[in-house]
Amino acid sequence: MDRETTSDDTDDLPWEGPAIGLLDLDAFFASVEQLDHPEWRGRPVIVGGDADRRGVVSTASYEARTFGVHSAMPAATARRLCPDAVWTNGHFDRYRCVSGQVMSLIGQESPYVEQVSIDEAFFDVTPGRFSHESPLAICGRIQERVAALGVTCSIGLGSNKTVAKIASERDKPRGLTIVLPGSEQAFLAPLPVRSMSGIGASAERRLSALGITTLGQLAAADRGLLTSVLGSQATSFALRAAGLEQSVVSEQASRPDPKSVSNERTYATDLTTEADVRAAAGAMASMVATRLRRKGLKGTCVTVKVRYDLDHASTAQTSLTHPTDDEGDFGPMAQDLAAGLWARGMHVRLVGVGISGFADTEEPEQLGLFDDQASATQRHELHRTCDEVRERFGDQAVALGRDLRLSGRTTNTTPAHKQDD
């Protein structure tokens, strides 16, 4: 019997050991748009920014994908490939609402749910952990209940997260791919190394240069050789490639603690002056600070990214003396870093700012020699008030002069809003 199956007639197959599923909503943003606009069903639909403003495709319906359109593609390219597509900038509040409904359905089947993005979630249906029902039957029921909402999902089921994630991508849309316990290695071995999350284009090229192109080869490779490419995570990657990963989906762990919080914007017209580059970095720092305060996070590492064109970008990083969520602390540093990545004659199309190095515990803030506690408290209250206004009326309800300097020059691409890295 084939141990990897997408058949619907598998509910009675025995399952021993962990059973972890990964639910992935199919072409989610576009599917919601087709749900809300019945006249768009069966037609190519693209959710993304305008082609004339350097927009990017957020999601393409399966009808649009047949033309070669895919996520993260420049909107201008997508328009050329599929000129008759229905375009929309998207409605993120609506997507978030439908996502919440889906996550609630999963939570009714198991309390062990780990949402990793707006359209993906791991869930644990190990027999005996919460229910004695067949994991296969539970996955099938989840699919049916999601379909009743008007959207569809694909599910991968395996003994760990790596297998479940890869399996979820094997049969789309509305696929159910099952990798039975004991068949993980056979399932993974022939797949290309890039199919495993965490291995990007650069690592793929370096592994290929060593003759490692499949997960089976990665699992069997010399650990010292792998370390030269994958660093301290070499052993972890090898175990995952062999299907030996041991995964935990914690109860109600809907949002893992992020390692960084960042914002970036692409500009419809290039930034060609230092003043504009600084203004862009300052605006991104302000947006990051707002998100940090919403999440209750303070960081110590500032990273700035500047993209010059589709193929060339640079990053710079610096550290703070104390954790902060105040753009008054790290904004000027971000502006200096951005300015350092720009030189006269350069054209900049994207600027991003990120904060990482989050403090594990709340520590008292170390003020500078000439800092005034009252001034710091007043600044904190000002930020809190601005946050409340933005929360109620939108991110653009309160803006500084530097933000207005670039008003109307950013793209209108719907943010993917995946989990913070």
Short mmCIF file of all heavy atoms in Angstrom, two decimals, residues 19-51:
data_model
loop_
_atom_site.label_atom_id
_atom_site.label_comp_id
_atom_site.label_asym_id
_atom_site.label_seq_id
_atom_site.Cartn_x
_atom_site.Cartn_y
_atom_site.Cartn_z
N ALA A 19 0.40 12.96 15.53
CA ALA A 19 -0.33 13.29 14.31
C ALA A 19 -0.47 14.80 14.26
O ALA A 19 -1.26 15.39 15.02
CB ALA A 19 -1.70 12.62 14.28
N ILE A 20 0.30 15.43 13.39
CA ILE A 20 0.31 16.89 13.29
C ILE A 20 -0.13 17.29 11.90
O ILE A 20 0.38 16.78 10.90
CB ILE A 20 1.70 17.46 13.60
CG1 ILE A 20 2.04 17.20 15.08
CG2 ILE A 20 1.77 18.95 13.30
CD1 ILE A 20 3.43 17.64 15.48
N GLY A 21 -1.08 18.21 11.83
CA GLY A 21 -1.58 18.70 10.56
C GLY A 21 -1.16 20.14 10.32
O GLY A 21 -0.88 20.89 11.26
N LEU A 22 -1.07 20.50 9.05
CA LEU A 22 -0.84 21.89 8.67
C LEU A 22 -1.95 22.28 7.70
O LEU A 22 -2.05 21.72 6.61
CB LEU A 22 0.54 22.06 8.02
CG LEU A 22 1.06 23.48 7.69
CD1 LEU A 22 0.45 24.03 6.41
CD2 LEU A 22 0.80 24.46 8.82
N LEU A 23 -2.77 23.21 8.11
CA LEU A 23 -3.84 23.72 7.26
C LEU A 23 -3.36 24.97 6.54
O LEU A 23 -2.85 25.90 7.18
CB LEU A 23 -5.08 24.04 8.09
CG LEU A 23 -6.29 24.61 7.33
CD1 LEU A 23 -7.60 24.13 7.97
CD2 LEU A 23 -6.27 26.14 7.30
N ASP A 24 -3.52 24.98 5.22
CA ASP A 24 -3.11 26.11 4.39
C ASP A 24 -4.30 26.52 3.54
O ASP A 24 -4.77 25.74 2.71
CB ASP A 24 -1.93 25.70 3.51
CG ASP A 24 -1.35 26.87 2.73
OD1 ASP A 24 -1.85 27.99 2.86
OD2 ASP A 24 -0.38 26.64 1.97
N LEU A 25 -4.80 27.72 3.76
CA LEU A 25 -5.95 28.21 2.98
C LEU A 25 -5.52 28.47 1.55
O LEU A 25 -4.49 29.09 1.29
CB LEU A 25 -6.52 29.47 3.63
CG LEU A 25 -7.23 29.22 4.97
CD1 LEU A 25 -7.42 30.52 5.74
CD2 LEU A 25 -8.57 28.54 4.74
N ASP A 26 -6.31 27.99 0.60
CA ASP A 26 -5.95 28.05 -0.82
C ASP A 26 -6.18 29.44 -1.39
O ASP A 26 -7.30 29.97 -1.34
CB ASP A 26 -6.80 27.05 -1.62
CG ASP A 26 -6.59 25.62 -1.15
OD1 ASP A 26 -5.44 25.25 -0.87
OD2 ASP A 26 -7.59 24.86 -1.07
N ALA A 27 -5.09 30.04 -1.96
CA ALA A 27 -5.19 31.36 -2.60
C ALA A 27 -6.10 32.26 -1.78
O ALA A 27 -7.07 32.84 -2.28
CB ALA A 27 -5.72 31.21 -4.02
N PHE A 28 -5.78 32.41 -0.51
CA PHE A 28 -6.73 32.90 0.48
C PHE A 28 -7.35 34.25 0.15
O PHE A 28 -8.56 34.40 0.07
CB PHE A 28 -6.07 32.93 1.85
CG PHE A 28 -6.98 33.40 2.95
CD1 PHE A 28 -8.27 32.92 3.08
CD2 PHE A 28 -6.53 34.33 3.88
CE1 PHE A 28 -9.11 33.36 4.10
CE2 PHE A 28 -7.35 34.77 4.90
CZ PHE A 28 -8.65 34.29 5.01
N PHE A 29 -6.51 35.28 -0.05
CA PHE A 29 -7.06 36.61 -0.30
C PHE A 29 -7.97 36.61 -1.53
O PHE A 29 -9.07 37.16 -1.52
CB PHE A 29 -5.95 37.64 -0.50
CG PHE A 29 -5.12 37.91 0.73
CD1 PHE A 29 -4.03 38.77 0.66
CD2 PHE A 29 -5.40 37.32 1.94
CE1 PHE A 29 -3.26 39.05 1.78
CE2 PHE A 29 -4.64 37.58 3.07
CZ PHE A 29 -3.55 38.44 2.98
N ALA A 30 -7.50 35.96 -2.60
CA ALA A 30 -8.30 35.92 -3.83
C ALA A 30 -9.57 35.11 -3.63
O ALA A 30 -10.62 35.45 -4.18
CB ALA A 30 -7.46 35.32 -4.96
N SER A 31 -9.49 34.05 -2.83
CA SER A 31 -10.69 33.23 -2.58
C SER A 31 -11.76 34.02 -1.84
O SER A 31 -12.96 33.87 -2.11
CB SER A 31 -10.30 31.98 -1.79
OG SER A 31 -9.47 31.13 -2.55
N VAL A 32 -11.33 34.84 -0.87
CA VAL A 32 -12.30 35.67 -0.14
C VAL A 32 -12.93 36.69 -1.08
O VAL A 32 -14.14 36.95 -1.02
CB VAL A 32 -11.62 36.36 1.05
CG1 VAL A 32 -12.60 37.34 1.72
CG2 VAL A 32 -11.13 35.33 2.07
N GLU A 33 -12.13 37.26 -1.98
CA GLU A 33 -12.69 38.21 -2.94
C GLU A 33 -13.71 37.54 -3.86
O GLU A 33 -14.76 38.11 -4.16
CB GLU A 33 -11.56 38.83 -3.78
CG GLU A 33 -10.60 39.71 -3.00
CD GLU A 33 -11.25 40.95 -2.40
OE1 GLU A 33 -12.34 41.35 -2.88
OE2 GLU A 33 -10.68 41.54 -1.46
N GLN A 34 -13.44 36.31 -4.28
CA GLN A 34 -14.39 35.58 -5.12
C GLN A 34 -15.63 35.19 -4.33
O GLN A 34 -16.73 35.12 -4.88
CB GLN A 34 -13.71 34.35 -5.72
CG GLN A 34 -12.67 34.70 -6.78
CD GLN A 34 -11.94 33.48 -7.31
OE1 GLN A 34 -11.57 32.59 -6.55
NE2 GLN A 34 -11.72 33.44 -8.62
N LEU A 35 -15.46 34.94 -3.03
CA LEU A 35 -16.60 34.65 -2.17
C LEU A 35 -17.51 35.87 -2.07
O LEU A 35 -18.74 35.76 -2.16
CB LEU A 35 -16.11 34.23 -0.78
CG LEU A 35 -17.16 34.11 0.33
CD1 LEU A 35 -18.15 32.98 0.01
CD2 LEU A 35 -16.49 33.87 1.68
N ASP A 36 -16.91 37.04 -1.89
CA ASP A 36 -17.67 38.26 -1.72
C ASP A 36 -18.17 38.85 -3.04
O ASP A 36 -19.05 39.71 -3.04
CB ASP A 36 -16.82 39.31 -0.98
CG ASP A 36 -16.53 38.91 0.46
OD1 ASP A 36 -17.19 37.98 0.96
OD2 ASP A 36 -15.62 39.51 1.07
N HIS A 37 -17.58 38.41 -4.16
CA HIS A 37 -17.99 38.89 -5.47
C HIS A 37 -18.27 37.67 -6.36
O HIS A 37 -17.40 37.23 -7.11
CB HIS A 37 -16.90 39.76 -6.12
CG HIS A 37 -16.53 40.96 -5.31
ND1 HIS A 37 -15.58 40.92 -4.31
CD2 HIS A 37 -16.98 42.24 -5.33
CE1 HIS A 37 -15.46 42.13 -3.77
NE2 HIS A 37 -16.30 42.94 -4.37
N PRO A 38 -19.45 37.09 -6.27
CA PRO A 38 -19.77 35.87 -7.02
C PRO A 38 -19.50 36.00 -8.52
O PRO A 38 -19.15 35.01 -9.17
CB PRO A 38 -21.26 35.67 -6.74
CG PRO A 38 -21.50 36.36 -5.43
CD PRO A 38 -20.58 37.54 -5.44
N GLU A 39 -19.61 37.22 -9.05
CA GLU A 39 -19.37 37.41 -10.48
C GLU A 39 -17.90 37.22 -10.85
O GLU A 39 -17.56 37.10 -12.04
CB GLU A 39 -19.85 38.79 -10.91
CG GLU A 39 -19.05 39.97 -10.38
CD GLU A 39 -19.45 40.42 -8.97
OE1 GLU A 39 -20.18 39.64 -8.29
OE2 GLU A 39 -19.07 41.53 -8.56
N TRP A 40 -17.01 37.17 -9.85
CA TRP A 40 -15.58 36.96 -10.11
C TRP A 40 -15.20 35.48 -10.09
O TRP A 40 -14.06 35.15 -10.41
CB TRP A 40 -14.73 37.70 -9.08
CG TRP A 40 -14.83 39.20 -9.18
CD1 TRP A 40 -15.53 39.92 -10.10
CD2 TRP A 40 -14.21 40.15 -8.31
NE1 TRP A 40 -15.38 41.27 -9.87
CE2 TRP A 40 -14.58 41.44 -8.77
CE3 TRP A 40 -13.37 40.04 -7.19
CZ2 TRP A 40 -14.14 42.60 -8.14
CZ3 TRP A 40 -12.94 41.20 -6.57
CH2 TRP A 40 -13.32 42.46 -7.04
N ARG A 41 -16.10 34.63 -9.68
CA ARG A 41 -15.78 33.20 -9.59
C ARG A 41 -15.51 32.64 -10.98
O ARG A 41 -16.23 32.91 -11.92
CB ARG A 41 -16.91 32.44 -8.91
CG ARG A 41 -17.12 32.85 -7.45
CD ARG A 41 -18.35 32.22 -6.84
NE ARG A 41 -18.59 32.74 -5.49
CZ ARG A 41 -19.69 32.51 -4.78
NH1 ARG A 41 -20.64 31.72 -5.28
NH2 ARG A 41 -19.82 33.04 -3.58
N GLY A 42 -14.45 31.85 -11.07
CA GLY A 42 -14.07 31.28 -12.35
C GLY A 42 -13.22 32.20 -13.20
O GLY A 42 -12.74 31.80 -14.27
N ARG A 43 -13.01 33.43 -12.73
CA ARG A 43 -12.20 34.39 -13.47
C ARG A 43 -10.85 34.59 -12.76
O ARG A 43 -10.76 34.39 -11.54
CB ARG A 43 -12.93 35.75 -13.56
CG ARG A 43 -14.25 35.71 -14.29
CD ARG A 43 -14.88 37.07 -14.33
NE ARG A 43 -14.03 38.06 -15.01
CZ ARG A 43 -14.29 39.38 -15.04
NH1 ARG A 43 -15.37 39.86 -14.43
NH2 ARG A 43 -13.47 40.20 -15.69
N PRO A 44 -9.82 34.97 -13.49
CA PRO A 44 -8.53 35.25 -12.84
C PRO A 44 -8.64 36.50 -11.97
O PRO A 44 -9.05 37.56 -12.45
CB PRO A 44 -7.57 35.45 -14.01
CG PRO A 44 -8.43 35.81 -15.17
CD PRO A 44 -9.74 35.11 -14.96
N VAL A 45 -8.30 36.37 -10.71
CA VAL A 45 -8.37 37.47 -9.75
C VAL A 45 -6.99 37.67 -9.14
O VAL A 45 -6.35 36.72 -8.71
CB VAL A 45 -9.40 37.19 -8.64
CG1 VAL A 45 -9.36 38.30 -7.58
CG2 VAL A 45 -10.80 37.06 -9.22
N ILE A 46 -6.54 38.92 -9.11
CA ILE A 46 -5.25 39.26 -8.53
C ILE A 46 -5.45 40.29 -7.43
O ILE A 46 -6.07 41.34 -7.65
CB ILE A 46 -4.28 39.82 -9.60
CG1 ILE A 46 -4.02 38.77 -10.68
CG2 ILE A 46 -2.97 40.26 -8.95
CD1 ILE A 46 -3.18 39.28 -11.84
N VAL A 47 -4.96 39.96 -6.24
CA VAL A 47 -4.97 40.90 -5.12
C VAL A 47 -3.57 41.47 -4.99
O VAL A 47 -2.60 40.72 -4.81
CB VAL A 47 -5.38 40.21 -3.81
CG1 VAL A 47 -5.39 41.22 -2.66
CG2 VAL A 47 -6.75 39.56 -3.96
N GLY A 48 -3.45 42.78 -5.11
CA GLY A 48 -2.12 43.39 -5.02
C GLY A 48 -2.15 44.86 -5.31
O GLY A 48 -3.22 45.48 -5.46
N GLY A 49 -0.98 45.44 -5.39
CA GLY A 49 -0.87 46.87 -5.65
C GLY A 49 -0.94 47.18 -7.14
O GLY A 49 -0.83 46.28 -8.00
N ASP A 50 -1.13 48.45 -7.45
CA ASP A 50 -1.27 48.87 -8.83
C ASP A 50 0.06 48.74 -9.58
O ASP A 50 1.13 49.07 -9.06
CB ASP A 50 -1.72 50.34 -8.89
CG ASP A 50 -3.12 50.52 -8.31
OD1 ASP A 50 -3.87 49.52 -8.26
OD2 ASP A 50 -3.45 51.65 -7.91
N ALA A 51 -0.05 48.29 -10.82
CA ALA A 51 1.15 48.12 -11.66
C ALA A 51 1.85 49.46 -11.91
O ALA A 51 3.07 49.52 -12.02
CB ALA A 51 0.76 47.47 -12.97
#
